[in-house]
Amino acid sequence: MHVIVSSAYALFMMTSYAVVNGNRIGYDDKSHHTGPTMKANETEWETKAKLLLKGELARRGVTYAQLVEKLAAIGVVDSEPNIRNKISRGKFTAVFLLQCLTAIGSDTVRL
């Protein structure tokens, strides 16, 4: 990752805050986490995304095989095992989520 900041601001960041074990970086009066804490939060979001999509599929009674057909109808070609794996891991893009929701006719979701 590349970050461009003014030299004066960079000096402020370097003299005011420290990196501790490579896991926490403090700047802008906020703590920004990397490492294990970030991974735990990421896993929680993946679980929420997975449950949201699975819930919408279940509400509409759509199987993975039917989802493959519905996605193909809107121009998204993917295999059933690949879709099943993406959803079960919860590791998919926002684009994939929107494609699935559009394909199954879901225009409103509750978070």
Side-chain angles (χ1 to χ4, degrees):
M1 174 172 51
H2 294 76
V3 179
I4 300 171
V5 295
S6 72
S7 58
Y9 190 69
L11 181 60
F12 171 77
M13 286 174 32
M14 290 187 305
T15 57
S16 299
Y17 299 91
V19 175
V20 180
N21 295 328
N23 287 331
R24 181 177 281 207
I25 303 169
Y27 57 92
D28 290 334
D29 297 327
K30 296 179 179 122
S31 288
H32 297 269
H33 301 278
T34 60
T37 305
M38 184 71 145
K39 187 65 176 164
N41 290 337
E42 190 175 309
T43 302
E44 290 173 17
W45 286 109
E46 289 166 353
T47 300
K48 287 181 182 191
K50 170 177 62 174
L51 293 176
L52 183 138
L53 184 50
K54 281 183 153 186
E56 289 301 311
L57 291 170
R59 268 190 268 302
R60 288 168 175 68
V62 177
T63 65
Y64 290 127
Q66 292 169 326
L67 179 59
V68 169
E69 293 172 8
K70 291 176 182 291
L71 285 169
I74 64 168
V76 180
V77 180
D78 211 341
S79 69
E80 182 180 343
N82 193 33
I83 288 175
R84 187 181 325 106
N85 288 337
K86 278 184 196 179
I87 294 172
S88 75
R89 286 190 315 262
K91 290 183 180 265
F92 46 80
T93 65
V95 170
F96 178 76
L97 176 62
L98 292 173
Q99 288 169 333
C100 290
L101 294 174
T102 299
I104 65 175
S106 178
D107 57 359
T108 305
V109 292
R110 293 186 61 150
L111 299 179

